[in-house]
Amino acid sequence: MRPIPCSRDMDFGQSNLFGYIEDLQELTIIERPVRRSLKTPEEIERLTVDEELNDIERALYLLSSGQDVQGTSVVANLPVLMRQNPAETLRRVLPKIREVLHVAGVEMQLTAAVSFLTVLQDESVSIHTYSHSFLHIILQNLEHRDAGVSNAWLETLLAVIEALPKETIRHEILNPLVSKAQISQTLQSRLVSCKIMGKLANKFEAHIVKREILPLVKSLCQDVEYEVRTCMCRQLEHVAQGIGTELTKTVVLPELVELARDEGSSVRLAAFETLVNLLDMFDSDDRRQTVLPLVKSFCEKSFKADESILVSLSFHLGKLCNGLYGIFTPEQHLRFLEFYKKLCTLGLQQENGHNDNQLQLQTLEQEKKYISVRKNCAYNFPAMIVFVDPKNFHLELYSIFFCLCHDPEVTVRYTMAISFYEVAKLLNSSVCTIQKELVTLLQDESLEVLDALVGHLPEILELMINGGENSGSESKLLSIPDLIPALTTAEQRAATSLKWRTHEKLLQKYACLPQIISSDQIYYRFLHRMLAIILTNNVLPVQKAAARTLCVYLRYNRKQEQRHEVIQKLIEQLGQGKSYWNRLRFLDTCEFIMELFSKSFFCKYFFLPVLELTHDPVANVRIKLCYLLPKVKSTLKIPTDKHLLQQLELCIRKLLCQEKDKDVLTIVKRTVLELDRMDISLDAEQLEKEKQQNEGRSANVNDKIFEKKRRDNKPSSVLVKSMTLSSGNSSGASTGKEDKKSKLVRSQSFNTQALHPKYNNIDKCSNKSSATGYTSSLSGMGKSCMLSFSDDSFRTRSTGNSGNATFSSSSSLISSRNSFNSTDQKNNGNKESQSRKMSIKNRKSNS
């Protein structure tokens, strides 16, 4: 087809016109299948269903006159119908489905198998009703001509057998199975019978299995078709579990020995794998006399005439070697070890340094097989360490370990990286022998290998440091000299890749490094790198992982100069950064600091920088700050941090009276309510000190007043009594004056104390706050904060053995306190009037 030219270049002459028409016809042909896919009005009419029909009627209509896709949707919706109306569904819908399934296609058959299993799992009906209504339909479709459909119905039947009672299984499944397993039946019928046999063997007692099932099992093991023999051989494991050890030894083991010599390679493979899985059921005599010769025969033939078993043999070799360990002679032990070593290098360069060019060229299938063998050897490596004893690792297996860690295939190295932690645990004190391989895998070019190794990196490094002979803080770096370059290289490779999850995982695991290497090494090689990741990386989970790891490094850094430098950089480059993204990450970092550090540390270095973000021009930053404020408030202790609490309140007042963003304002109001319900921790030691100071001050005032009264008045019994009353009155008055004075001072400090040079305009908002209703919304929090500073207003609650107390901002405490103060004023007034009356009477009597 020629390209159609632009209109200005088109030549509408007779010679070219027919060419353009041909092109248009070709375009019409291309579009024709699209038009045919559209539904005609008649088809739409046939697909339309009356909306007034209920679910049952609609299902019956679609199954009777609808298209296949509509009938399939009804079958898929069968579990829903069973939950809504089980009686009508069983009476009307299920018989129609049974009728339709006789002529249904593959899709509807597969859907029905899944729906029947879902109905069983939902327990919409009793198991008796289910077996009566659904079981016959399942059994009818077991021998479907399509293998996929047959397997789907078989899986449903095997799940149903688990729930059926024994009598139902005997009459509905076991009895018909005798005829279905005969040689005269179809291949598909006999294959289905094999799988059902394995399931039924665990449902009946051993004597019933021996009498009714074992004869069928023997018959199927000797079937003329190798597919049937293979299938039945794989079910012998389940049969053995159902009949017990004795019958397994006398019935199953002879069948396995015969099948292991079968002419079909798949049959021999099934016999070998079943023999390995049943190894625990055989005693030492059976293992020595029967199993071991078979295994030796498999090993000898695997490289020559029976390569089909090689992959399976390499996968089960670890289990075989440890299962037969007790019956091995030293010669046999060495022979199996050499066989394993040979498998580990299968397909690689030979020991003489030349490629195996003298043999036949390996096909692609053989190469894949050899790669699978070496991968299985890597999987079995921990088991082989147990086989040779960890003490002999360096002599017997280290060279193989080296080869597997340097294997050219990624899958082999990946498997070694996964099993590296298990190897390190087994070696224990000899773990130092595999340090070079750890560095090699950390520097592997494949990130899959690195990801597999990093999963247990903290545990591996801990074993490397503490498990070696030279354990101690001074030998940390000496034990793994190339560790730090390998770790930095791994992180840089992960950072430059697109696999950010591997990078995140790596940064999370690097938080263990303070336990492994020195603080200076972390500071110069890792800490600044974490800060750079926070500032430059674009993936949020990676940034958060770097921030938390940085906080861990800061937590274990004991050098004040380095600490202050990092803190200053966090505040300047993140908290005061030009990018709002960095300021958001600063709040994330502060959250990690509150998690890892003490409350006083956060209040000392990060409390005020966090509050500065109330001025942030970006709404998202202010929103995140509001969500963080409850945690920020929880770091405060009263009365030590009362000035910080005042500044926190001022920031909230500012947000309430100046915030213009509706979303931020909504979150601020919600945060205010949460803050109002919070309790603030009390500093018990500071409270005790202030209490003692206040008690000493009030005692001095009372002594001075008493001395002045004694000098001014003459001694008499009446005067003594009046002095006593006036003394009590004056102490109450002095306390009231002190109370008023402290409130006045607090009010002044509350309104005039500056949060920061940027906050000079906050006090202008204090008068507006009453108009905006902030006083009422913060009544509990504000009053509790003010009252907390007077000497007689502390209410402590015991918090266990810690001796700390919490400060409650409940309104009931405030109201009771107010009523208490008013009562004191009345009592003081009555006492004062009485003392005046008594003094006047005394003067008159003296005159």
Side-chain angles (χ1 to χ4, degrees):
M1 177 177 171
R2 300 185 304 272
I4 298 178
C6 299
S7 59
R8 64 184 181 183
D9 299 330
M10 294 180 69
D11 183 6
F12 291 99
Q14 188 174 6
S15 59
N16 293 326
L17 184 59
F18 290 104
Y20 298 142
I21 292 175
E22 291 175 0
D23 293 338
L24 292 175
Q25 288 177 348
E26 291 180 9
L27 291 174
T28 305
I29 293 173
I30 293 174
E31 291 183 354
R32 202 169 290 164
V34 178
R35 291 177 181 175
R36 287 176 180 175
S37 65
L38 299 176
K39 300 298 181 183
T40 62
E42 292 78 8
E43 290 175 333
I44 295 175
E45 181 66 25
R46 288 199 303 269
L47 292 172
T48 304
V49 182
D50 189 359
E51 296 181 356
E52 296 182 357
L53 296 176
N54 59 34
D55 293 340
I56 300 295
E57 296 292 340
R58 185 185 299 109
L60 291 173
Y61 174 79
L62 293 177
L63 288 171
S64 301
S65 57
Q67 295 188 357
D68 289 342
V69 63
Q70 293 176 316
T72 303
S73 68
V74 172
V75 175
N77 198 45
L78 180 63
V80 178
L81 294 176
M82 288 295 299
R83 287 192 293 267
Q84 294 175 351
N85 194 347
E88 286 297 308
T89 303
L90 291 175
R91 188 175 67 87
R92 303 177 63 186
V93 178
L94 190 60
K96 192 64 179 178
I97 292 177
R98 181 175 184 173
E99 178 184 338
V100 171
L101 285 177
H102 284 294
V103 293
V106 173
E107 185 177 358
M108 184 180 290
Q109 287 277 353
L110 296 175
T111 305
V114 175
S115 294
F116 281 30
L117 181 59
T118 305
V119 172
L120 175 69
Q121 295 170 345
D122 290 346
E123 299 181 353
S124 304
V125 293
S126 65
I127 191 61
H128 175 73
T129 304
Y130 186 91
S131 61
H132 177 74
S133 304
F134 291 88
L135 184 58
H136 293 286
I137 303 176
I138 296 173
L139 293 173
Q140 286 176 358
N141 293 277
L142 274 178
E143 299 179 25
H144 196 275
R145 60 183 178 275
D146 186 273
V149 173
S150 178
N151 289 331
W153 283 111
L154 179 60
E155 292 298 324
T156 301
L157 177 62
L158 296 179
V160 171
I161 289 176
E162 289 290 337
L164 290 177
K166 291 182 180 180
E167 289 301 320
T168 303
I169 295 175
R170 179 189 290 271
H171 291 95
E172 301 293 340
I173 299 176
L174 182 58
N175 291 340
L177 195 64
V178 176
S179 60
K180 296 290 183 181
Q182 298 301 320
I183 193 67
S184 58
Q185 297 292 325
T186 62
L187 174 64
Q188 183 66 27
S189 176
R190 302 202 302 277
L191 290 175
V192 169
S193 300
C194 291
K195 295 180 180 179
I196 296 177
M197 291 287 183
K199 197 70 175 180
L200 295 182
N202 292 314
K203 295 294 294 184
F204 295 99
E205 292 79 6
H207 66 278
I208 297 179
V209 175
K210 181 180 179 180
R211 184 178 68 248
E212 300 186 15
I213 296 179
L214 282 184
L216 296 176
V217 170
K218 290 182 178 181
S219 173
L220 292 171
C221 284
Q222 298 171 4
D223 196 274
V224 295
E225 299 292 340
Y226 76 92
E227 295 101 327
V228 178
R229 298 197 302 274
T230 302
C231 184
M232 192 65 248
C233 184
R234 294 195 178 277
Q235 298 300 318
L236 289 179
E237 178 183 354
H238 305 292
V239 174
Q241 293 173 355
I243 61 178
T245 304
E246 293 298 326
L247 284 176
T248 299
K249 181 178 178 179
T250 57
V251 178
V252 175
L253 185 57
E255 293 294 333
L256 280 175
V257 172
E258 185 176 352
L259 291 171
R261 301 188 180 100
D262 195 274
E263 60 183 6
S265 60
S266 62
V267 181
R268 295 195 300 272
L269 178 62
F272 170 75
E273 293 179 350
T274 304
L275 195 66
V276 175
N277 293 331
L278 293 177
L279 201 59
D280 295 335
M281 298 190 69
F282 303 135
D283 55 25
S284 59
D285 292 336
D286 293 331
R287 296 180 187 181
R288 182 179 295 105
Q289 299 172 5
T290 306
V291 178
L292 183 57
L294 282 177
V295 173
K296 290 171 61 178
S297 175
F298 281 125
C299 293
E300 292 171 356
K301 294 179 181 179
S302 60
F303 283 106
K304 300 176 182 179
D306 202 1
E307 285 192 352
S308 60
I309 203 173
L310 194 59
V311 176
S312 179
L313 182 60
S314 64
F315 181 77
H316 293 95
L317 190 59
K319 186 175 182 179
L320 270 175
C321 289
N322 286 280
L324 300 175
Y325 181 81
I327 64 172
F328 278 151
T329 63
E331 182 182 357
Q332 292 171 340
H333 186 281
L334 182 60
R335 183 181 300 175
F336 273 87
L337 180 59
E338 292 299 325
F339 179 75
Y340 172 76
K341 292 180 180 181
K342 189 175 181 179
L343 293 179
C344 289
T345 57
L346 189 63
L348 297 179
Q349 196 172 13
Q350 301 299 312
E351 293 180 0
N352 56 10
H354 299 284
N355 291 329
D356 197 9
N357 294 327
Q358 299 174 355
L359 302 177
Q360 296 180 353
L361 294 177
Q362 298 175 357
T363 63
L364 182 61
E365 184 178 355
Q366 284 178 326
E367 290 179 358
K368 292 181 180 179
K369 185 184 297 183
Y370 292 160
I371 292 172
S372 298
V373 169
R374 298 200 306 273
K375 178 185 175 182
N376 291 337
C377 289
Y379 167 77
N380 281 298
F381 196 85
M384 296 308 295
I385 293 178
V386 177
F387 180 65
V388 301
D389 196 312
K391 297 179 181 179
N392 301 322
F393 168 78
H394 191 273
L395 179 63
E396 300 288 353
L397 288 177
Y398 177 74
S399 59
I400 297 300
F401 184 75
F402 178 86
C403 291
L404 292 173
C405 288
H406 292 81
D407 194 277
E409 292 298 325
V410 174
T411 56
V412 179
R413 302 196 306 273
Y414 173 82
T415 308
M416 288 303 298
I418 290 178
S419 60
F420 199 95
Y421 175 53
E422 295 297 327
V423 172
K425 284 196 301 183
L426 290 171
L427 294 180
N428 198 2
S429 60
S430 302
V431 70
C432 57
T433 56
I434 60 173
Q435 291 174 358
K436 293 181 180 179
E437 284 65 39
L438 172 64
V439 174
T440 299
L441 294 177
L442 281 173
Q443 296 175 335
D444 196 277
E445 60 183 9
S446 172
L447 282 179
E448 295 179 359
V449 176
L450 179 62
D451 186 82
L453 183 66
V454 164
H456 289 286
L457 184 62
E459 295 85 354
I460 294 172
L461 293 177
E462 184 178 0
L463 288 171
M464 291 285 182
I465 297 300
N466 300 326
E469 297 178 357
N470 298 323
S471 60
S473 58
E474 297 180 357
S475 61
K476 281 186 177 182
L477 294 177
L478 297 177
S479 59
I480 316 177
D482 299 328
L483 175 63
I484 294 177
L487 292 173
T488 54
T489 302
E491 188 278 321
Q492 291 171 0
R493 267 197 7 269
T496 55
S497 70
L498 298 177
K499 297 183 178 181
W500 63 265
R501 287 182 177 85
T502 300
H503 193 199
E504 177 196 12
K505 184 179 180 181
L506 191 72
L507 295 176
Q508 290 172 347
K509 299 300 181 180
Y510 276 16
C512 72
L513 292 183
Q515 311 296 332
I516 309 301
I517 59 180
S518 66
S519 177
D520 285 338
Q521 291 289 340
I522 289 177
Y523 178 77
Y524 290 110
R525 301 298 295 270
F526 295 98
L527 195 147
H528 293 285
R529 175 60 183 164
M530 297 299 146
L531 183 59
I533 293 172
I534 301 172
L535 291 170
T536 60
N537 199 282
N538 296 323
V539 182
L540 179 58
V542 172
Q543 287 181 307
K544 286 188 173 183
R548 194 183 191 285
T549 301
L550 185 145
C551 292
V552 173
Y553 293 165
L554 186 64
R555 172 72 176 83
Y556 286 96
N557 192 309
R558 297 302 180 186
K559 293 187 177 181
Q560 292 299 323
E561 295 180 359
Q562 295 178 356
R563 265 196 173 192
H564 290 159
E565 180 186 350
V566 176
I567 292 171
Q568 185 177 2
K569 286 184 177 181
L570 287 175
I571 295 173
E572 292 177 355
Q573 299 181 22
L574 290 180
Q576 300 172 1
K578 295 182 180 180
S579 172
Y580 86 98
W581 190 254
N582 288 341
R583 300 194 295 275
L584 287 174
R585 300 294 74 77
F586 175 72
L587 293 176
D588 290 331
T589 305
C590 289
E591 196 167 358
F592 293 134
I593 288 173
M594 286 186 281
E595 174 190 346
L596 297 171
F597 289 81
S598 64
K599 295 180 179 180
S600 59
F601 180 88
F602 175 81
C603 291
K604 181 178 180 181
Y605 295 106
F606 293 95
F607 192 93
L608 294 179
V610 167
L611 293 187
E612 286 182 9
L613 293 180
T614 54
H615 302 279
D616 199 277
V618 180
N620 284 348
V621 178
R622 301 196 300 276
I623 288 175
K624 190 172 183 66
L625 172 64
C626 292
Y627 283 123
L628 192 63
L629 284 179
K631 290 186 178 180
V632 171
K633 184 182 177 183
S634 66
T635 63
L636 299 176
K637 289 185 178 181
I638 295 300
T640 307
D641 301 323
K642 58 187 178 183
H643 62 289
L644 297 179
L645 180 61
Q646 292 175 356
Q647 292 172 358
L648 174 63
E649 291 183 357
L650 288 175
C651 291
I652 298 175
R653 287 173 185 248
K654 178 184 180 302
L655 287 172
L656 279 172
C657 65
Q658 294 184 3
E659 184 58 55
K660 297 180 181 179
D661 190 282
K662 294 182 180 179
D663 296 330
V664 179
L665 189 59
T666 301
I667 297 173
V668 170
K669 293 178 180 178
R670 192 184 309 159
T671 304
V672 165
L673 296 177
E674 186 176 354
L675 292 173
D676 190 27
R677 292 191 295 266
M678 288 181 62
D679 294 337
I680 304 179
S681 300
L682 293 176
D683 192 342
E685 295 182 2
Q686 187 67 21
L687 283 176
E688 188 64 26
K689 291 180 181 178
E690 292 192 4
K691 183 178 179 181
Q692 293 176 359
Q693 292 176 0
N694 292 331
E695 288 179 352
R697 191 182 305 118
S698 62
N700 293 334
V701 171
N702 291 338
D703 291 342
K704 291 179 180 178
I705 294 174
F706 181 79
E707 288 294 330
K708 184 177 180 182
K709 290 288 184 178
R710 189 177 61 82
R711 288 194 303 267
D712 293 343
N713 298 321
K714 296 180 181 181
S716 65
S717 60
V718 179
L719 287 177
V720 172
K721 189 179 299 184
S722 67
M723 286 173 63
T724 305
L725 293 173
S726 64
S727 163
N729 183 23
S730 62
S731 64
S734 64
T735 305
K737 291 178 181 179
E738 286 290 325
D739 217 10
K740 293 179 180 179
K741 184 177 180 180
S742 62
K743 288 181 180 179
L744 180 58
V745 172
R746 285 195 307 275
S747 177
Q748 292 174 353
S749 64
F750 186 75
N751 292 324
T752 60
Q753 187 174 1
L755 173 66
H756 192 270
K758 296 181 181 180
Y759 289 51
N760 291 333
N761 59 346
I762 291 182
D763 51 354
K764 297 178 182 178
C765 179
S766 59
N767 295 328
K768 297 180 183 179
S769 62
S770 60
T772 58
Y774 173 73
T775 305
S776 59
S777 65
L778 275 180
S779 60
M781 184 176 69
K783 290 179 182 180
S784 63
C785 298
M786 293 181 180
L787 290 171
S788 65
F789 305 141
S790 61
D791 303 329
D792 60 345
S793 64
F794 290 112
R795 297 293 185 268
T796 60
R797 290 198 300 254
S798 175
T799 58
N801 297 330
S802 61
N804 295 332
T806 55
F807 179 75
S808 176
S809 58
S810 63
S811 58
S812 61
L813 180 63
I814 299 172
S815 61
S816 63
R817 188 173 300 143
N818 292 336
S819 62
F820 178 75
N821 292 336
S822 62
T823 305
D824 288 345
Q825 292 175 1
K826 291 180 181 180
N827 293 335
N828 292 338
N830 294 333
K831 292 179 180 179
E832 186 175 358
S833 60
Q834 291 177 3
S835 62
R836 287 179 180 176
K837 291 179 181 180
M838 293 179 66
S839 61
I840 292 172
K841 291 180 180 180
N842 292 333
R843 290 176 183 175
K844 288 181 180 181
S845 62
N846 292 332
S847 62

